[in-house]
Amino acid sequence: MGDTLGSQTVSTKLRRIAEQAERYPDMVFNNVYHLIDYDFLLEAYRRTRKGSAPGLDGVTAQEYAENLEFNLRDLHDRLRNNRYVAPPVERVWIEKEGGKQRPIGKPGFEDKIVQRSVLMILAAIYGHDFYDFSHGFQEGHSQHQALRELREQCIGLNINWILDADVSGFFDNLNHSHVREFVKMRVNDGGIMRLIGKWLKAGIVEGGNLTYPEKGTPQGGVISPMLANIFLHHVLDGWFITDVHARMKGRCFLIRFADDFIIGFELEEDAHRVMNVLAKRFNRFGLTIHSDKTKLVRFSRPSTKMAVGSETFDFLGFTHYWAKSLRGNWIIKRKTMGKRLRRFIKSIWEWCRVNRHESPNEQFNMLCIKLRGYYQYFGIRCNYKALEKVYEETRYAWRYWLSRRSHKGNINWEKFARTIIDKLPLVRPRIIHNNV
């Protein structure tokens, strides 16, 4: 009962902050740190993912919960008396497209709770500040919503040109002074700013070596997406609305998800004007637009006589292109990016190889989880062929490695694998998002 009341109290506090932020868009909040009390930390704990890998201290969510009330009250005491020390973040690398790797930070579980607390406050304040075309890591927004809006804007505004931009190492190169400056424009609270400063300076541990980067915020941190959104709200979003949009001769739009963004233009002249100043805009704030990966794409509706559409571009894991519908009309279609498709299939083959000696039921359950997750994201209209390919490759990879469980005995392993596949049918592909 007490926990429920505490949760309601926290929700009431956040709602009041959000109402103030909406009513007074120029108001600077300088007295919100005191809201982080025991009940607030408990709610932050509830909202923190429990299944993630532990940080450097090795403390898991389950271990932290064994003495939860004591841990949270001790944490509150350290925060209240300014004795909280943000621990260094462990850096690991994950594979991305093109054989490259992306650095990911692994904060400690307790630090995630503190970050979640500050995130809850910032989200309540900035929820009404961020523009509707900013979809990354915000309540009520999603990647599929960004994809749907992108398609609708291209068609509704008669877009003919797409500026497909790439920011080099965005999270690794965020300028700390600019981040703090932008946050202070809306939240100039000493306690909040001290915590943000501690996270920015906490240090990175990689291969046993501790370093203190002068710029950047680790991907994987709970607070990092919010800091990124605040940064780009000022550097890109606000600039586009106040300076760019008003100077365009034709219609245009911006769609952003975290640091991935697309700018569409009706007129080629406008597209070139923005492309020529975009790099300068980001350079001013310590970031670089990747010259090789940033391109201007002609993306206009093809004429009725054309057999194929214009150029394509990639956004949020999908390749966007013009193609004819079954009725012969030109429409915008999306398919899984080739690199994403190959990477997933490769991961399935590797998983089946490594886990081929596990029980067939365990393998079946995990493969179904992987496939459902893939369908859940990539299951949009016009992308069924890619889903079908993933399904067939998964089925083939599973059968291939099941048949190689052993070379001993008189068992026909090929027949065994075929029997298992027939008895345990993998979840078939289906379109999840019909309105994207």
Side-chain angles (χ1 to χ4, degrees):
M1 183 68 177
D3 289 351
T4 302
L5 290 175
S7 180
Q8 292 174 348
T9 302
V10 172
S11 297
T12 301
K13 291 178 180 179
L14 293 174
R15 185 171 62 253
R16 288 174 180 170
I17 294 176
E19 291 171 353
Q20 281 187 302
E22 184 178 18
R23 189 178 301 117
Y24 307 107
D26 296 325
M27 176 181 177
V28 178
F29 290 81
N30 55 21
N31 189 27
V32 290
Y33 183 67
H34 72 280
L35 297 176
I36 305 179
D37 55 14
Y38 170 80
D39 288 333
F40 208 93
L41 291 171
L42 180 59
E43 181 62 21
Y45 163 81
R46 290 197 187 99
R47 300 188 186 188
T48 300
R49 289 179 57 190
K50 311 299 191 296
S52 302
L56 282 170
D57 59 8
V59 177
T60 65
Q62 182 178 359
E63 291 170 341
Y64 196 85
E66 289 175 358
N67 202 1
L68 183 61
E69 181 175 356
F70 173 83
N71 288 332
L72 291 181
R73 293 198 182 281
D74 178 66
L75 174 59
H76 174 232
D77 183 66
R78 281 178 281 142
L79 289 169
R80 183 180 56 190
N81 294 297
N82 195 27
R83 291 187 292 106
Y84 180 76
V85 178
V89 175
E90 182 182 7
R91 173 178 285 172
V92 296
W93 295 83
I94 62 172
E95 185 180 349
K96 59 179 292 187
E97 291 88 355
K100 298 181 180 180
Q101 292 185 316
R102 181 194 303 275
I104 296 292
K106 292 167 54 180
F109 183 74
E110 184 176 72
D111 198 48
K112 289 180 183 179
I113 297 174
V114 183
Q115 291 190 33
R116 179 67 61 183
S117 299
V118 174
L119 175 62
M120 288 157 57
I121 294 174
L122 295 182
I125 295 171
Y126 282 97
H128 298 284
D129 290 8
F130 292 147
Y131 295 98
D132 290 339
F133 55 75
S134 173
H135 296 283
F137 306 104
Q138 291 195 68
E139 186 176 352
H141 291 263
S142 68
Q143 288 144 309
H144 293 104
Q145 187 176 344
L147 291 167
R148 179 171 62 252
E149 186 177 326
L150 172 58
R151 177 174 55 83
E152 292 173 350
Q153 294 278 42
C154 284
I155 296 173
L157 300 182
N158 190 33
I159 295 301
N160 296 297
W161 295 88
I162 292 291
L163 177 52
D164 182 6
D166 182 89
V167 184
S168 298
F170 174 77
F171 283 93
D172 290 335
N173 291 288
L174 275 182
N175 183 284
H176 291 174
S177 61
H178 286 313
V179 170
R180 288 192 291 264
E181 175 187 344
F182 291 145
V183 173
K184 281 184 177 180
M185 293 172 68
R186 193 63 157 135
V187 184
N188 193 13
D189 183 292
I192 299 294
M193 294 309 302
R194 278 194 300 272
L195 283 177
I196 291 176
K198 288 178 180 180
W199 289 321
L200 292 176
K201 297 178 179 297
I204 301 292
V205 174
E206 183 177 359
N209 297 318
L210 174 62
T211 59
Y212 295 92
E214 297 181 356
K215 56 185 178 179
T217 178
Q219 286 182 265
V222 175
I223 199 66
S224 294
M226 174 57 74
L227 297 181
N229 271 337
I230 294 173
F231 189 96
L232 287 173
H233 174 72
H234 292 280
V235 172
L236 178 63
D237 303 352
W239 171 71
F240 178 82
I241 292 296
T242 58
D243 294 350
V244 175
H245 194 274
R247 290 178 169 83
M248 297 293 97
K249 295 182 179 179
R251 291 174 289 184
C252 60
F253 73 84
L254 168 65
I255 300 289
R256 182 172 69 80
F257 190 93
D259 60 319
D260 292 329
F261 63 93
I262 292 290
I263 308 178
F265 303 91
E266 185 178 16
L267 302 179
E268 181 180 6
E269 176 186 353
D270 290 339
H272 283 289
R273 287 177 63 192
V274 174
M275 188 169 184
N276 290 336
V277 300
L278 187 65
K280 297 177 183 177
R281 174 67 182 179
F282 275 79
N283 285 341
R284 177 182 170 187
F285 297 96
L287 293 174
T288 303
I289 296 293
H290 200 299
S291 58
D292 294 334
K293 294 183 179 180
T294 299
K295 58 182 180 179
L296 200 57
V297 177
R298 182 171 183 82
F299 195 72
S300 54
R301 184 193 300 269
S303 65
T304 55
K305 297 180 180 180
M306 295 179 66
V308 295
S310 53
E311 296 179 71
T312 68
F313 67 92
D314 297 330
F315 184 60
L316 296 181
F318 292 91
T319 296
H320 301 248
Y321 62 102
W322 283 96
K324 286 189 176 182
S325 67
L326 294 176
R327 297 182 178 180
N329 301 319
W330 284 106
I331 61 173
I332 296 176
K333 294 185 178 182
R334 282 73 54 86
K335 61 182 179 181
T336 307
M337 287 171 52
K339 291 180 180 178
R340 291 285 183 92
L341 184 62
R342 290 189 293 271
R343 185 175 70 179
F344 183 82
I345 291 174
K346 179 182 177 182
S347 70
I348 288 292
W349 274 83
E350 181 63 16
W351 189 91
C352 289
R353 182 187 69 81
V354 172
N355 295 276
R356 65 186 184 275
H357 296 295
E358 300 295 331
S359 73
N361 279 317
E362 290 180 7
Q363 294 184 52
F364 167 75
N365 290 332
M366 182 54 68
L367 288 174
C368 284
I369 290 174
K370 291 177 178 291
L371 287 174
R372 287 193 188 97
Y374 189 89
Y375 302 157
Q376 185 63 39
Y377 184 77
F378 289 103
I380 68 173
R381 285 187 301 169
C382 305
N383 195 37
Y384 189 81
K385 285 186 177 180
L387 304 186
E388 199 170 39
K389 183 174 179 59
V390 162
Y391 168 78
E392 293 295 343
E393 285 285 344
T394 301
R395 194 169 184 270
Y396 179 64
W398 191 28
R399 178 175 172 177
Y400 178 89
W401 287 110
L402 276 176
S403 67
R404 281 153 180 78
R405 283 163 65 100
S406 174
H407 298 290
K408 300 177 182 180
N410 298 320
I411 297 177
N412 185 326
W413 287 98
E414 182 64 28
K415 181 179 179 180
F416 167 79
R418 187 169 60 249
T419 303
I420 292 297
I421 295 291
D422 292 340
K423 288 183 177 180
L424 299 173
L426 295 172
V427 57
R428 296 194 63 88
R430 68 188 186 96
I431 300 301
I432 307 293
H433 308 281
N434 281 302
N435 62 341
V436 174

